[in-house]
Amino acid sequence: MAQYRVLSDAVEAAKQLEKEIVSLGRRSLAVNGFDYSAMDIGKWEKYREQTYATVKNAFPEMLYNRAPLKARHVSTSEFDGFTVENVIFDSLPGWEVNASVYVPNGKGPFPCVVCPTGHSAKYRDSYYIPAQIFARNGYMAISFDPPGCIGELAYHNDHFINGYIGWLTGIWSQTYFICDALACIDYMYSRKDTDTKKGIAITGVSGGGMTAIYASVLDRRITFSALVCCVTDNDIAQFTDLYTSCPETIGQGFHIAGINMSELISLIAPTDLLISCGQKDEVFDHRLTKEIFEKVRKVYDAYGIGKKAQLYIEAESGHCYSATMADETVRRMNAIYKGGEGPVKTGPEDLVLITKEQLACNPSNEVNMYTINRNEAVRLESMRQKLKPRELSTCIGSLLDMGNLDAHISDISEDDPSSVPTRWCHKFAPVILSHSGGLKIPVMHAYREDMKERPVLLWFGEKGVWGDFNRKGALSKTVGFLERMPILNEHCVIACDLSGLGELEMQHTTYDAASWNSIERILTYLSVGNGLPIMAYRLRDTLIALEYAKHFSKDISVGGYGVGAITALLLCAYIPDEISRVFAVRPLASYGCLTEEPSFSWPESILIPDVLRYFDIPEILACLGAKAVCIDPLDGLMRSLTKERSGSMFKRAADEGAKVISEDDWENALVREILKPVKGDRR
């Protein structure tokens, strides 16, 4: 069904939020990234200190306080030239790493290499072939599955669901990948047949390469890093193509801090580095890899160790860790760990097939991203202090970084009231609010011709500015439409679309044909990297709409449906003195609800990183007290709460005077609450 439109250019409207997020990310990387053209070791060291702190702080404490290993042997398979030992150990309490250790034949101790798997499984060619090549050349190699992919750690570890939710509790999904890699280092150091006097090597392809990068930055026990088919420019991968990469690829605030791939890899210096790529890689363009390497090499040159950073481009390889790439890694490792002694001892005829069954560890999946996030949300709830209204307002402003958003109208485009046609006794006037360099908010202003002394309801829906008026809907009843005389406590209504909703709904990209791709998902992730979540833009929009509403009344209530209801609650909590009442229809009952099930139905864009460290929606209602009416709040799967659950969740809010209504007929409940006189008849 075609919707009523205020904005004439539908494509421009649909790409407005995308352009705002992308332009901020690009500008931040350009302005705040390191200037490699004017390389100075002093400037680099200062920049490195700041950048390292940003990366380190992106991870929760659990990464740095890992669990005891509790290693246990599972099985052994012998091959010509090496043996595979399958072992299990913990990286987090109860979170089991399924490690396959490739042990060279002969008497140790052996130098070691950690081989993180990409977004695949350790029994695939790009993982078991390099590992056996390393073992045949005298290196103990340890390989392990990543969570959430096709290996043994898939259960309840979906990056896009269980990984995403971690941002609410402060657990970036990259944590699990890096924690497992660092636990593998702990395990190698614990064995008696390993030689770690010169440290340890790490190498991975694709997502495994990303794991290798972060592990190398954070753990100086790593003395050689070989990154394979994983180096590209964020501008292309994220801002241009808008491909929905996994949430672990984007660190919170990384863009605003100027951290691009070159800055991240440069943090590895002065550790030995090899970057390998395939000239036919269909995922990462080797030319971009070379450009990034040249920047990183300047850092090594500034340290006077340029030869410690090397690039290897293989002409006939695609997106893989080929045997010849592994041979190149061995040559570098021989120079570092064996004093240059010994040639590469592997040929194609030496390679053997290793089956999935021979690498199986059968780890327990009782502890996973879902359970860790859920338990952390419960822990945080038990520890949160009860915020006072002013404290809550400050916290919202800080979490959403509202100080970096301009919330003022630059232009109002509306028809002269005399030219707006009258429908019985009412006018429905389309309005465009311009702000922030040409961005636009569509508005429908509905009012009786006699507007004198009427309160205003500022409304934020999900179906466009006309959606909740349609066919004498809730908003039509609120303005007394088709009533010849004003009804008791009748309101004017100003309905607005917020960023990403209604006419401003985000336009899909062609990547969205893939099941894991979503324009809303990738823009949410990019907004986290920018340090300015999408809910910040929506709160900004409500402030602009409120500025417009003040032209017509001093008595302003706000309300919304779904995502709009969450935003309305945030607005009222952010500036409580300027709002008379707030009506939240079918909002998310609590951000904690999103952690309670292995999946969720709400759009990703409602994310507020770290919110559960400080407050949740029931606490907003408690602070608002008698100002707040909440109708039919929904859980993480968008189901109505039982009366028992609602009573428990909102007990404090009810004690403070907030009204929580469990009623299926939300439209009549909303109209009843809006039109109910407050402190007498306000006609």
Side-chain angles (χ1 to χ4, degrees):
M1 180 184 296
Q3 64 169 311
Y4 184 101
R5 301 198 67 91
V6 173
L7 302 176
S8 59
D9 191 329
V11 173
E12 181 181 2
K15 294 183 78 66
Q16 181 169 285
L17 179 61
E18 172 191 319
K19 290 179 178 178
E20 194 168 8
I21 291 172
V22 167
S23 63
L24 174 60
R26 281 183 168 150
R27 186 168 63 250
S28 299
L29 289 177
V31 172
N32 299 324
F34 186 70
D35 183 5
Y36 290 90
S37 65
M39 188 66 215
D40 176 87
I41 194 63
K43 291 181 180 178
W44 165 253
E45 286 290 349
K46 183 178 179 180
Y47 179 86
R48 186 193 189 285
E49 182 179 353
Q50 298 170 343
T51 305
Y52 175 78
T54 300
V55 173
K56 186 175 185 295
N57 293 336
F59 293 97
E61 281 301 315
M62 65 174 64
L63 178 67
Y64 309 108
N65 298 302
R66 295 185 294 282
L69 289 172
K70 299 180 181 178
R72 69 179 190 272
H73 180 267
V74 176
S75 64
T76 299
S77 296
E78 294 186 359
F79 301 91
D80 182 23
F82 65 97
T83 299
V84 173
E85 297 178 5
N86 293 311
V87 296
I88 287 177
F89 48 82
D90 286 4
S91 62
L92 300 171
W95 172 284
E96 295 188 342
V97 182
N98 70 330
S100 294
V101 185
Y102 294 69
V103 183
N105 286 354
K107 185 178 180 181
F110 306 104
C112 307
V113 55
V114 176
C115 306
T117 301
H119 292 175
S120 182
K122 63 182 180 180
Y123 58 80
R124 292 292 180 88
D125 292 1
S126 284
Y127 309 105
Y128 83 81
I129 287 178
Q132 68 173 286
I133 289 174
F134 302 146
R136 290 181 183 278
N137 283 275
Y139 294 91
M140 187 180 293
I142 185 167
S143 175
F144 56 101
D145 277 337
C149 297
I150 60 174
E152 295 184 300
L153 304 176
Y155 182 70
H156 287 174
N157 288 324
D158 188 317
H159 309 180
F160 299 111
I161 299 173
N162 314 117
Y164 155 91
I165 291 302
W167 267 323
L168 298 176
T169 60
I171 304 174
W172 180 22
S173 57
Q174 186 68 264
T175 302
Y176 303 100
F177 297 80
I178 309 309
C179 205
D180 287 359
L182 301 188
C184 285
I185 298 176
D186 296 339
Y187 173 75
M188 292 300 231
Y189 269 77
S190 74
R191 290 182 62 128
K192 295 181 180 179
D193 55 352
T194 57
D195 179 3
T196 57
K197 292 190 296 294
K198 294 183 179 180
I200 199 166
I202 191 167
T203 183
V205 61
S206 195
M210 288 301 300
T211 300
I213 293 171
Y214 283 105
S216 300
V217 170
L218 296 172
D219 195 327
R220 283 306 179 185
R221 291 177 296 178
I222 297 172
T223 50
F224 170 58
S225 308
L227 317 177
V228 181
C229 295
C230 64
V231 177
T232 190
D233 187 275
N234 290 342
D235 188 10
I236 301 299
Q238 298 171 1
F239 299 130
T240 299
D241 290 346
L242 291 171
Y243 168 75
T244 306
S245 53
C246 298
E248 61 268 11
T249 62
I250 301 174
Q252 187 173 340
F254 277 25
H255 299 153
I256 205 70
I259 303 176
N260 210 328
M261 182 64 78
S262 53
E263 283 80 6
L264 187 59
I265 296 176
S266 293
L267 293 178
I268 296 175
T271 298
D272 283 89
L273 174 68
L274 171 65
I275 296 177
S276 297
C277 61
Q279 199 163 340
K280 295 183 178 180
D281 191 330
E282 61 272 27
V283 180
F284 298 106
D285 190 324
H286 73 281
R287 292 167 294 187
L288 285 175
T289 299
K290 185 176 180 181
E291 288 178 14
I292 292 168
F293 171 78
E294 293 300 335
K295 291 180 180 179
V296 174
R297 179 65 177 267
K298 290 182 178 181
V299 175
Y300 280 80
D301 286 338
Y303 281 117
I305 52 171
K307 291 183 178 180
K308 294 184 73 173
Q310 296 187 11
L311 175 68
Y312 174 70
I313 300 177
E314 193 162 281
E316 297 303 317
S317 287
H319 190 70
C320 68
Y321 202 145
S322 69
T324 48
M325 287 177 176
D327 289 344
E328 193 65 26
T329 300
V330 169
R331 290 188 181 91
R332 287 301 311 278
M333 290 196 298
N334 283 347
I336 297 166
Y337 301 105
K338 295 184 178 182
E341 296 179 4
V344 177
K345 301 177 181 178
T346 311
E349 69 281 358
D350 297 315
L351 301 178
V352 297
L353 172 67
I354 303 178
T355 66
K356 177 180 179 180
E357 291 71 26
Q358 289 172 312
L359 298 176
C361 293
N362 302 308
S364 169
N365 286 315
E366 289 185 8
V367 177
N368 45 64
M369 289 186 191
Y370 157 59
T371 63
I372 291 173
N373 290 331
R374 179 196 63 195
N375 294 342
E376 180 65 3
V378 171
R379 187 187 72 84
L380 290 173
E381 182 180 16
S382 69
M383 295 177 61
R384 281 199 299 266
Q385 295 181 349
K386 293 180 180 179
L387 296 177
K388 297 177 181 179
R390 293 299 175 194
E391 294 171 331
L392 177 59
S393 172
T394 300
C395 192
I396 290 171
S398 177
L399 279 180
L400 296 180
D401 200 16
M402 295 306 297
N404 280 322
L405 284 171
D406 179 13
H408 298 288
I409 299 171
S410 60
D411 184 64
I412 300 173
S413 176
E414 58 184 337
D415 295 334
D416 185 281
S418 63
S419 66
V420 178
T422 301
R423 304 299 181 229
W424 286 271
C425 303
H426 287 77
K427 291 179 179 290
F428 294 87
V431 181
I432 299 173
L433 305 180
S434 297
H435 66 99
S436 306
L439 301 176
K440 298 175 181 178
I441 298 174
V443 172
M444 178 61 70
H445 187 183
Y447 57 92
R448 193 177 289 271
E449 282 192 285
D450 175 12
M451 290 181 58
K452 295 179 181 178
E453 299 180 4
R454 302 227 195 287
V456 167
L457 173 67
L458 192 56
W459 180 257
F460 313 112
E462 292 185 341
K463 299 183 292 184
V465 296
W466 185 250
D468 295 314
F469 287 105
N470 206 26
R471 295 185 180 275
K472 206 173 187 297
L475 300 189
S476 297
K477 294 176 182 178
T478 298
V479 299
F481 186 58
L482 294 181
E483 301 288 345
R484 293 197 176 276
M485 297 297 294
I487 59 177
L488 184 64
N489 205 34
E490 179 179 293
H491 284 54
C492 302
V493 172
I494 298 175
C496 309
D497 281 343
L498 304 177
S499 292
L501 302 175
E503 291 185 49
L504 303 178
E505 182 180 0
M506 294 161 261
Q507 179 169 296
H508 288 289
T509 75
T510 50
Y511 270 121
D512 289 1
S515 61
W516 65 91
N517 275 258
S518 161
I519 185 61
E520 182 153 3
R521 181 175 276 174
I522 183 57
L523 289 184
T524 297
Y525 298 169
L526 293 179
S527 74
V528 172
N530 289 350
L532 204 61
I534 289 176
M535 290 303 290
Y537 294 104
R538 289 173 176 157
L539 182 55
R540 183 266 322 268
D541 296 348
T542 65
L543 291 168
I544 292 169
L546 178 63
E547 183 180 329
Y548 176 72
K550 288 178 180 178
H551 294 169
F552 305 99
S553 177
K554 294 181 180 179
D555 185 358
I556 301 172
S557 297
V558 298
Y561 182 98
V563 176
I566 301 172
T567 317
L569 288 170
L570 288 169
L571 172 64
C572 196
Y574 185 51
I575 48 169
D577 294 341
E578 300 185 41
I579 307 295
S580 298
R581 301 183 75 193
V582 57
F583 305 94
V585 179
R586 291 185 172 168
L588 174 67
S590 75
Y591 277 103
C593 285
L594 298 178
T595 71
E596 293 175 355
E597 301 282 350
S599 185
F600 62 89
S601 300
W602 287 85
E604 287 89 351
S605 62
I606 65 171
L607 174 76
I608 301 177
D610 298 324
V611 64
L612 292 179
R613 292 185 178 184
Y614 303 101
F615 66 87
D616 205 347
I617 292 170
E619 290 146 284
I620 293 179
L621 289 167
C623 281
L624 295 177
K627 282 188 176 185
V629 176
C630 182
I631 301 171
D632 193 22
L634 307 179
D635 68 10
L637 294 173
M638 290 189 165
R639 301 171 302 194
S640 298
L641 302 183
T642 64
K643 288 187 177 180
E644 293 75 16
R645 178 76 190 285
S646 180
S648 173
M649 183 179 293
F650 298 106
K651 182 180 185 306
R652 182 187 161 217
D655 290 344
E656 297 293 338
K659 193 169 186 178
V660 181
I661 302 171
S662 299
E663 189 169 324
D664 291 337
D665 187 357
W666 69 266
E667 287 192 322
N668 282 329
L670 174 63
V671 173
R672 183 178 67 242
E673 293 299 321
I674 293 174
L675 299 184
K676 184 181 296 183
V678 178
K679 295 182 181 180
D681 184 352
R682 292 185 293 177
R683 285 182 296 174

